Amino acid sequence: MGWTGRAPGRVNLIGEHVDYLGGVVLPAAIDRHTTVTGAPAGEWSMESAVPDGLRYARAAGAELGTAPQALRVTSDIPAGAGLSSSAALLVAVAAGLRPDLDGVEAALACQRAEQRATGVQVGVMDQFASALGRRGHALLLDCGTLEHRLVPFPEDLVIAVVDSGIHRSLADTPYNERRREAESGMPRRRRHVESELARVHEFVAALEAGDRSRLGPLLKASHISLRDDFEVSTPAVDALVERAWAAPGCLGARIMGAGFGGSVLALLETGAEGGFGLAMGEAPVWFCRTADGAYRR
Ligand code: GLA
């Protein structure tokens, strides 16, 4: 029997490099999707423009307990640019093959699949956002207890994602090393974690109070902490972030996701998109809105 699964990419508004430490994060599913169609087959195969997709699909199959499938993948999520194309692929496979699962179970299975496929000890943020995000909202997730709730996100704020052009697979970055350093209590890494957790709570409070003047400064402080204390930025990304800070109508910006290249998140007032695109020069910019995750809550 053939099946189809579809899942969104994600942005992370704030709460970076804290998920694997059991911290709180605030991602949102976005209106860019991966769609997978499949049918049982003698062995796993995949037609896709996504590099390495087959490795992920096999790992998802192993975690979901399903037989081999022949898959076709289409996606408008750029790979390697920090929008969690791999989480979207895994969650789309899960949603297609195991729609019976609860969204939390599906997200956890996809996290294990990603770890199995890559050897990178990723946290659970991306898979949760892709499975359980909601249009008009960000998802506040406590990665320690897995408690989560939706936080309304203003309709008139534009989420801009700037591609640094430095695309990398996490396995080739010091991601696992940073995780170990933070887990072992290295002072500068812990300083980032503690200050970032405080920023997540402040960001949520500002959203809930409708005080958007706080959002930009919090994004900026998050960037500085990721740059100086967690050391996951690069000079090229820092330059883009500084251009974003100066762009008219931009509330604030920071490096997003694992880092070591990847992308920059910026929040803009509606109408500022054109000027922001110009300010970013050659770097590709995607303007996103929040969207529904693959699973029902
Ligand atoms: C990647 C991982 C996430 C998270 C971020 C950093 O996106 O997949 O689990 O650790 O990096 O916040």
Side-chain angles (χ1 to χ4, degrees):
M1 267 285 285
W3 51 268
T4 300
R6 181 171 182 263
R10 69 97 187 89
V11 291
N12 184 20
L13 295 172
I14 199 155
E16 215 66 89
H17 282 283
V18 298
D19 64 345
Y20 47 74
L21 300 165
V24 282
V25 294
L26 190 69
I30 54 162
D31 54 355
R32 291 195 160 244
H33 294 85
T34 294
T35 303
V36 182
T37 57
E43 57 184 54
W44 286 95
S45 67
M46 181 182 283
E47 270 178 54
S48 164
V50 182
D52 288 341
L54 194 53
R55 204 151 45 100
Y56 287 93
R58 277 207 184 94
E63 291 297 338
L64 297 166
T66 53
Q69 308 283 320
L71 307 174
R72 280 190 70 159
V73 180
T74 54
S75 182
D76 62 358
I77 308 174
L83 293 174
S84 287
S85 54
S86 57
L89 173 62
L90 288 166
V91 174
V93 169
L97 278 171
R98 296 293 308 276
D100 58 301
L101 286 182
D102 150 274
V104 173
E105 278 177 298
L108 291 171
C110 291
Q111 177 198 21
R112 290 193 302 271
E114 177 132 11
Q115 294 181 342
R116 180 192 278 259
T118 61
V120 181
Q121 296 304 302
V122 294
V124 75
M125 167 172 77
D126 305 342
Q127 297 78 11
F128 246 84
S130 181
L132 287 166
R134 275 298 161 269
R135 184 161 173 234
H137 297 84
L139 182 73
L140 179 63
L141 167 65
D142 181 322
C143 301
T145 62
L146 299 184
E147 269 172 51
H148 53 283
R149 69 178 173 89
L150 296 172
V151 177
F153 185 79
E155 284 288 320
D156 60 334
L157 274 190
V158 178
I159 299 167
V161 177
V162 186
D163 183 358
S164 72
I166 310 165
H167 293 187
R168 72 286 173 258
S169 124
L170 283 193
D172 304 328
T173 69
Y175 183 96
N176 282 343
E177 190 182 321
R178 286 293 182 283
R179 178 176 174 151
R180 277 193 305 274
E181 291 164 352
E183 281 169 345
S184 69
M186 196 175 144
R188 228 161 359 127
R189 306 295 185 242
R190 291 305 306 181
R191 191 164 66 191
H192 163 70
V193 173
E194 301 308 326
S195 66
E196 185 76 352
L197 293 176
R199 283 186 290 272
V200 175
H201 293 297
E202 245 198 275
F203 198 96
V204 169
L207 277 180
E208 290 182 332
D211 178 10
R212 58 179 67 178
S213 71
R214 284 298 300 142
L215 304 180
L218 287 165
L219 292 179
K220 192 167 176 175
S222 174
H223 181 77
I224 292 168
S225 175
L226 287 158
R227 183 190 68 193
D228 298 346
D229 286 346
F230 219 70
E231 295 181 285
V232 291
S233 193
T234 66
V237 173
D238 292 339
L240 280 176
V241 168
E242 279 161 34
R243 256 145 73 187
W245 287 344
C250 175
L251 272 56
R254 65 177 191 83
I255 188 169
M256 182 179 72
F260 316 106
S263 59
V264 169
L265 167 94
L267 294 181
L268 312 180
E269 302 287 1
T270 299
E273 294 94 319
F276 185 81
L278 287 176
M280 290 301 110
E282 303 283 286
V285 183
W286 296 286
F287 299 108
C288 316
R289 300 280 177 176
T290 56
D292 285 339
Y295 280 84
R296 238 179 263 122
R297 295 180 63 80

